[in-house]
Amino acid sequence: MASFCKVSIMAFFLLASGAFLSSPALAFQANEKDFSLASEPSSSSEQDIIPPAVRHYLFQCLQRLGEECRPLFFARIFIGEKNEIPTSCCQNLVQMGDKCHTAITNAVISRPEFSGNATLFRTRSEETWTTCSRLIEIISPGPSA
């Protein structure tokens, strides 16, 4: 039952993503087995609150994060699951960059259903970034000084 609730919350997030990023900008299709990013719709809506350039930027960030990784990061940051993030997803996150990661987190937090726990979500987001960036640093150390 708890697992179904968590899946329902993730499905809600993915379906509502279009609305939280000003409706048509990001459309997600989700069910329990398939979380996928749909193409960027071109129609506008009364709920357009994020400028088109920002919506496009967020859409690109989510594409770089990867279809298989998005629900894992969402569950970790916004549901509080202590799931193990695969190295490949951490690589995607770090390659996507902290700016994208922060922008996605802030876009979710901007929704009323998430804004009440903004501090907690930002903390989890920062912890997730730190964990992944340290992992990638260990497995791919930069040039020595």
Side-chain angles (χ1 to χ4, degrees), residues 36-62:
S36 61
L37 186 62
S39 61
E40 192 171 9
S42 59
S43 63
S44 62
S45 165
E46 295 176 334
Q47 297 178 344
D48 284 351
I49 56 173
I50 297 177
V54 175
R55 290 192 316 251
H56 181 72
Y57 174 73
L58 291 169
F59 184 81
Q60 289 180 324
C61 291
L62 289 168

Side-chain angles (χ1 to χ4, degrees), residues 65 73 76-77 85 89-103 105 121-137:
L65 189 55
F73 286 114
R76 187 178 186 100
I77 295 168
I85 301 292
C89 288
C90 278
Q91 287 173 324
N92 290 355
L93 181 71
V94 171
Q95 288 173 354
M96 178 184 75
D98 189 41
K99 185 177 176 184
C100 272
H101 176 65
T102 300
T105 301
F121 297 148
R122 282 192 177 96
T123 300
R124 288 180 186 161
S125 176
E126 290 169 11
E127 289 170 352
T128 300
W129 174 263
T130 301
T131 298
C132 280
S133 61
R134 285 182 180 160
L135 172 66
I136 299 308
E137 188 176 299

